[in-house]
Amino acid sequence: MKTIKSLQEKRNTAILLIFCPDKQGILSTVTEFLNKNNGNIIYLDQHVDREEKIFYMRVEWELEGFAIPSDKIGEYFETLIGSKLQMNWKLYFSDNTPKMALFVSKMPHCLFDILARYTAGEWDVEIPIIISNHEKLKPVAERFGIDFFYFPITKENKADQELKEIKLLKEKKIDFIVLARYMQILSEEFVALFPNKIINIHHSFLPAFAGAKPYHAAHERGVKIIGASSHYVTSDLDAGPIIEQDVTRCSHIDTVQKLIRKGRDLEKFVLSNAVYKHLQRKVLVFNNRTVVFN
Amino acid sequence: MKTIKSLQEKRNTAILLIFCPDKQGILSTVTEFLNKNNGNIIYLDQHVDREEKIFYMRVEWELEGFAIPSDKIGEYFETLIGSKLQMNWKLYFSDNTPKMALFVSKMPHCLFDILARYTAGEWDVEIPIIISNHEKLKPVAERFGIDFFYFPITKENKADQELKEIKLLKEKKIDFIVLARYMQILSEEFVALFPNKIINIHHSFLPAFAGAKPYHAAHERGVKIIGASSHYVTSDLDAGPIIEQDVTRCSHIDTVQKLIRKGRDLEKFVLSNAVYKHLQRKVLVFNNRTVVFN
Amino acid sequence: MKTIKSLQEKRNTAILLIFCPDKQGILSTVTEFLNKNNGNIIYLDQHVDREEKIFYMRVEWELEGFAIPSDKIGEYFETLIGSKLQMNWKLYFSDNTPKMALFVSKMPHCLFDILARYTAGEWDVEIPIIISNHEKLKPVAERFGIDFFYFPITKENKADQELKEIKLLKEKKIDFIVLARYMQILSEEFVALFPNKIINIHHSFLPAFAGAKPYHAAHERGVKIIGASSHYVTSDLDAGPIIEQDVTRCSHIDTVQKLIRKGRDLEKFVLSNAVYKHLQRKVLVFNNRTVVFN
Amino acid sequence: MKTIKSLQEKRNTAILLIFCPDKQGILSTVTEFLNKNNGNIIYLDQHVDREEKIFYMRVEWELEGFAIPSDKIGEYFETLIGSKLQMNWKLYFSDNTPKMALFVSKMPHCLFDILARYTAGEWDVEIPIIISNHEKLKPVAERFGIDFFYFPITKENKADQELKEIKLLKEKKIDFIVLARYMQILSEEFVALFPNKIINIHHSFLPAFAGAKPYHAAHERGVKIIGASSHYVTSDLDAGPIIEQDVTRCSHIDTVQKLIRKGRDLEKFVLSNAVYKHLQRKVLVFNNRTVVFN
């Protein structure tokens, strides 16, 4: 089932994501560089964290008519600006569709939501593979025409299986990973290979109820609101930089089962929103916190 | 792709939905009737509209051990209670899975969301058919293994095509219809055959922006919040009883295209919630307003 | 500045709050008791916790024409129903205006919000006294014409001062206490005297960020939503039964100071809502969780 | 009752609010102008409406060390930049506290909320006068130490009374007006004198339920969410540019009276938020829509 039709207009643009120590004139330096080289800016957002004294910026401009060839932009920018201002920057081209791998276990709701958006052309992404530690969702992958790889995990084979997964991810040139309710903890070694490139959904309003069985814990505590949180995975469980959160009301009439049902909708919504922001290159990470541009 | 596994525990219960003129003792009359016949009540919610002086009730009880045979409950209830209290009541059995028809046009997001829930076993429903005035979403229906019927509509053939649709709906014993962004107005005659049995999603916060192009209108007006509304279809366009509404924030940075994107998520969420409430037999309609039990 | 005008219609009603082990027929037993004695029910809400097997109920009926004299209702109810069904019940009369004491420290926003509602007649309550461990808000109390008592607290004098506070609360016949950003921890002994009668506002989405400086902690963690929680005070800090919670979005642009500003509005809104629910006798506590009737 | 203590750090800054036809280089032109004259930018937000081709910007910088004297900034900016780029701009100085007049009728909740924030030092504003067409809220004004002016309005005296009000507003050097549930329609002539300087709160989610009795209309329509909207007043009733909106859930159990109660909290919250944004000079109006900077 190929994409019905892309809802994304393809644009021929470049995107710069920047952060660096704040000082006067960074913004005008960057915008002047683009203007002088005839780069028509179509998006600009910036933020200064005045406590940490860090300047953050996302700028996107049209490549058509831009004086610097695309394959030289990075070099020129680093030489003329980046190195002088100690910038940490990344350059993306909007015609370069990123490749995403999906990790799932048994619960299908996030998987379905992502594949529906993918098939409907809501996102500019390729999903070459789905990886799972269970076989249950294989039929879903098949019907959407996506290769499904089964890697059962035990304490004993975990290291080996992860090596195979990593090999596969490299072969397929995967850019980032989405854990769509994948109920296995990735090893530190695995995580270290994909810094800020593994997006997880945790079924609570973090930092409340980190770890296992958050809906049971929420019910036990008698909260009046439940939530879901999407974050980049770090070696510290459920403690990585948060990309997106959302909540919904609950009450004494909600059993754990009802919380789980309500939570499913939150989870898929929050995860898909986080993936969308990531795909748009609108997320920067510094100090275990995210800057998410508008 | 059959349902992965039902997430709904099958229960052998009966559900009564009641409304009637309010007076003292209705509640104890009904609960006594169930108690005396050994009906274990597992859900009870009631509401009195003190302005209109109407009593509303939803009660669900276990059939196992209930003294009155299932096929006699209606008769007994009407004779002993309903007729005396001028009740408007409906009786449902939870082991009777309702049949739903989906009407779609070109936009797939609501369709995907409903089929994903269906396939994942979130809902106790059967979806035998999808009807459309376009062929575009046929592939989606096929992959989910659901029969797709194409009824192109023109001004000239509308009456005829609707008759064919009605014939098909009867053949398939359809209980209710969900318009999942179906972009055709159903005729008064059609609507009259399915009173409070056609659920629509309108892509605005009704009554604001009824009619065509609500996102354009919302953008033009400069609202700071957009919404979606699910309602039963009546002959009065976008004016039927509202089942569910939800909203999300927007701002000056949101173009019409961005509002449409944000709205898609609202639409599918609101429509699916409304269908779920309907499936649970938790919606009553009186005076063009709904009572939606918890 | 006396109450401008009460917005509350005075009603001559009785309210029963009940919980007990669940079994068949409780609801009809209670409603029959009221009906047979000519008590016109104007509110009824009930809930069965099927896991804990507890029945909860709130019922309100008009005293005019009720066959049992008001001062005998409790005795009759206990004899005829309560004792047989092992009920834990409380009886309230709506013409009995409860007396509330406010505890404050230096921050005025919750205090102002409560006094504004009080003065505007939004609540059916009397506020005879404001108690504080600082003198800063004395002028506010004076302008609203409420007696202000200053009890500075040190480690050494805490036990003594609390005894004086308790004496004052008894003299003034205070029914319940609201801690409107009172920044002192009450002793276990103090708390034990007012079980489920001390309402606190904590400036986080509990159980996240319990304890001191929650906005700093929220900023440090990089959450995308902040909250406030109102709960009954128990001897376990910030761990009492939650009455009400609410949240608001934040982002990377929000400094700690901005979170504090946004949080102020949440705090006053959540605390006032919790107090309102308490005043309406709509909150029941069991197992460190609340049932909050609609 | 003077302000308890200002919660606003006083900053010695200048603020420029700009909009103009979009073209390349505006942003770098403005930031260069400030940088070259040693203006340390502490806030910058900009937006390009690509449909209307309008550039919007808010920039704030420290005056200390700025090369151009404060009283010359406007002239220099217009000469060197504004006139060349056909800019519509306004310059504000943060040490210039604006003067606000409050218009009220009989309902005190918005008035109390504003006066509480004012007294608590939440806002950098002066409120020299309260104007009303009723005497009811005079005691509130007195207790907060603010001059209260009573202008009863009849069809016959309306024009005259408005002239007196205008005279008073000029005498008191009022910068902008807040209608805190003022239940009189201002004449076109009055409104024309204060373009985008009169902030109103309407008790519905505009454009739904404009005009009188919105809660009655919302109840009648059976909506599941109610709202409030704050907007600048134009000669077109309830149709001016929206600054802020918010909503809350309701259901079949909410009578009109309960909607009014819930709505009060929305109204005061939304109005105060809109006033705060206005006070921060974060609102621009173009084409009957607002740009509200973050």
Side-chain angles (χ1 to χ4, degrees), chain C residues 156-172:
Chain C
E156 290 70 33
N157 75 2
K158 183 165 181 168
D160 281 354
Q161 294 288 66
E162 284 197 350
L163 284 178
K164 285 180 198 158
E165 287 170 352
I166 291 163
K167 187 160 169 282
L168 177 63
L169 294 167
K170 295 217 163 140
E171 271 172 33
K172 298 290 183 181

Side-chain angles (χ1 to χ4, degrees), chain B residues 28 31-32 42 44 46 50, chain C residues 28 32 42 44 46 50:
Chain B
S28 57
T31 55
E32 241 187 87
I42 61 164
L44 188 150
Q46 50 78 48
R50 296 185 198 286
Chain C
S28 58
E32 242 188 88
I42 61 164
L44 187 150
Q46 49 79 47
R50 295 185 197 285

Side-chain angles (χ1 to χ4, degrees), chain B residues 22 24-29 31-32 34-36 38-46 48 50 294, chain C residues 22 24-29 31-32 34-36 38-46 48 50 294:
Chain B
D22 187 34
Q24 271 195 30
I26 302 175
L27 186 61
S28 57
T29 302
T31 55
E32 241 187 87
L34 297 177
N35 286 330
K36 287 196 173 157
N38 204 28
N40 188 33
I41 295 173
I42 61 164
Y43 176 99
L44 188 150
D45 198 6
Q46 50 78 48
V48 180
R50 296 185 198 286
N294 273 322
Chain C
D22 187 34
Q24 272 194 30
I26 302 175
L27 186 61
S28 58
T29 302
T31 55
E32 242 188 88
L34 297 177
N35 285 329
K36 288 196 174 160
N38 206 27
N40 187 33
I41 295 174
I42 61 164
Y43 176 100
L44 187 150
D45 198 6
Q46 49 79 47
V48 180
R50 295 185 197 285
N294 273 321

Side-chain angles (χ1 to χ4, degrees), chain A residues 241-258:
Chain A
I242 294 168
I243 307 166
E244 173 73 330
Q245 299 186 293
D246 208 351
V247 296
T248 197
R249 292 209 163 265
C250 58
S251 80
H252 61 274
I253 71 167
D254 291 306
T255 58
V256 172
Q257 287 312 309
K258 282 188 189 166

Side-chain angles (χ1 to χ4, degrees), chain A residues 161-176:
Chain A
Q161 293 290 66
E162 285 197 348
L163 285 178
K164 285 179 198 160
E165 287 170 352
I166 291 164
K167 190 161 165 281
L168 176 64
L169 295 165
K170 295 218 163 139
E171 271 171 33
K172 299 291 182 180
K173 297 184 177 158
I174 295 302
D175 292 296
F176 73 107

Side-chain angles (χ1 to χ4, degrees), chain D residues 179-192:
Chain D
L179 309 182
R181 298 298 313 271
Y182 180 65
M183 304 311 277
Q184 266 286 328
I185 296 171
L186 299 170
S187 73
E188 249 179 82
E189 294 72 29
F190 189 111
V191 171

